[in-house]
Amino acid sequence: MPKTMKSFRTKTSKEAEEILTNGMATVTKIEKAIAEHFPFGAGELSKAEASFRSDLETNGLDAANALLSTSIPAARDLISLGIYHIQVMERFISLNVPQMEDGNNFGVTVQMTVAKFLQETRESWAKKLDAIPAYYSSRADAVEKLGLAKTSSSQSKTESKSDSSGGKDGDASVTETKVVKEEKVSNGSKMGVYRLGHLLALDVQLYGELQSALLMLLDGYATVIDNMEKNKEKITSPKGTGPSASMGMY
């Protein structure tokens, strides 16, 4: 094996081992995030909606959702962390695949099975992140359609210059500057109950989706760590560890 690849393989092995060693700590971190940022449990989305409505009435209908303002980055960080950890595991498995030969391929089958599971899990997590930018776009449109009162201001500046020569004071140059400020207030339109309901529904929907995403992350991450630990021997030594085992790489 080239020296450069051996070094890279060693580095990847150490990183994968660290992830496995800290696997339970990461699972606990996900559990704490769910408890902290998603206080309304399964079957309590109506309570979440009531809380969101109260926040809007207190902070203004165009204010950001206070709970989601913290739960969105928390969920995004944890999901992206989980995706990265899986990518390390996938790399770790790939760098332990032996050279192709006849017979004794059960360990390779284990590697491929675990790798397929990792890929499917990673892709499902990545899709959960799509809900976040879509939420911001939809919520911006929903707030706009509430027809809230608006204040707009504008300022214009004009300058005029005149020159004169002669006269008792000699030559003269006069510059006149005029600044005009204008402020317009729109009283808005009567808000429809369904417009407000739509806004609240968007908040509740994302809350539910992110809560579900973190629960899926929790289950998936624990399963990933468990699979890697149970199959570690076959993953690292798919041909066995005896003197006849082939340790060549692709």
Side-chain angles (χ1 to χ4, degrees):
M1 181 190 303
K3 185 177 180 180
T4 53
M5 286 306 300
K6 184 176 181 180
S7 174
F8 184 65
R9 180 183 179 186
T10 300
K11 177 183 176 182
T12 300
S13 296
K14 288 181 178 179
E15 191 171 2
E17 185 63 38
E18 183 178 355
I19 291 172
L20 291 175
T21 300
N22 297 322
M24 193 60 225
T26 303
V27 168
T28 301
K29 184 177 181 180
I30 298 171
E31 287 180 319
K32 288 182 177 179
I34 294 173
E36 178 182 353
H37 298 287
F38 298 90
F40 306 104
E44 294 184 334
L45 290 182
S46 58
K47 291 183 179 180
E49 182 179 19
S51 176
F52 295 164
R53 183 185 295 273
S54 177
D55 284 346
L56 288 176
E57 292 172 351
T58 301
N59 302 321
L61 297 178
D62 58 347
N65 183 295
L67 181 58
L68 290 179
S69 293
T70 59
S71 61
I72 289 174
R76 183 169 49 199
D77 287 349
L78 285 171
I79 293 172
S80 62
L81 177 66
I83 290 173
Y84 175 73
H85 283 182
I86 283 187
Q87 289 174 320
V88 173
M89 297 300 181
E90 289 178 305
R91 188 187 318 130
F92 174 67
I93 293 175
S94 296
L95 292 175
N96 276 284
V97 175
Q99 67 184 31
M100 289 185 287
E101 58 185 20
D102 293 333
N104 193 22
N105 288 319
F106 177 70
V108 178
T109 301
V110 172
Q111 287 180 324
M112 296 300 100
T113 300
V114 175
K116 184 175 184 295
F117 167 69
L118 292 178
Q119 179 184 353
E120 292 173 348
T121 302
R122 171 174 53 80
E123 290 175 349
S124 68
W125 290 352
K127 290 179 181 178
K128 297 300 180 182
L129 295 175
D130 294 340
I132 297 175
Y135 162 76
Y136 283 122
S137 177
S138 297
R139 197 177 197 277
D141 292 340
V143 171
E144 182 70 23
K145 292 177 181 179
L146 289 177
L148 302 177
K150 298 179 181 179
T151 300
S152 60
S153 60
S154 62
Q155 177 176 304
S156 61
K157 180 179 180 181
T158 59
E159 290 186 357
S160 60
K161 183 177 181 181
S162 60
D163 298 315
S164 62
S165 58
K168 64 177 182 178
D169 296 324
D171 295 344
S173 178
V174 178
T175 300
E176 183 180 12
T177 301
K178 291 184 179 180
V179 177
V180 179
K181 295 182 179 180
E182 183 179 12
E183 186 174 276
K184 294 182 179 180
V185 178
S186 171
N187 293 326
S189 58
K190 183 179 179 181
M191 186 189 311
V193 62
Y194 295 112
R195 290 296 185 192
L196 179 57
H198 179 219
L199 178 63
L200 287 168
L202 291 173
D203 288 350
V204 173
Q205 180 183 33
L206 185 68
Y207 176 90
E209 288 180 352
L210 291 183
Q211 183 183 50
S212 175
L214 283 194
L215 289 171
M216 182 183 295
L217 176 69
L218 176 65
D219 294 341
Y221 194 91
T223 304
V224 165
I225 298 299
D226 185 57
N227 267 271
M228 291 295 296
E229 289 179 343
K230 287 178 178 177
N231 297 288
K232 187 176 180 181
E233 183 178 348
K234 285 296 183 183
I235 289 173
T236 55
S237 302
K239 294 291 186 178
T241 56
S244 61
S246 172
M247 294 304 293
M249 298 295 294
Y250 280 110

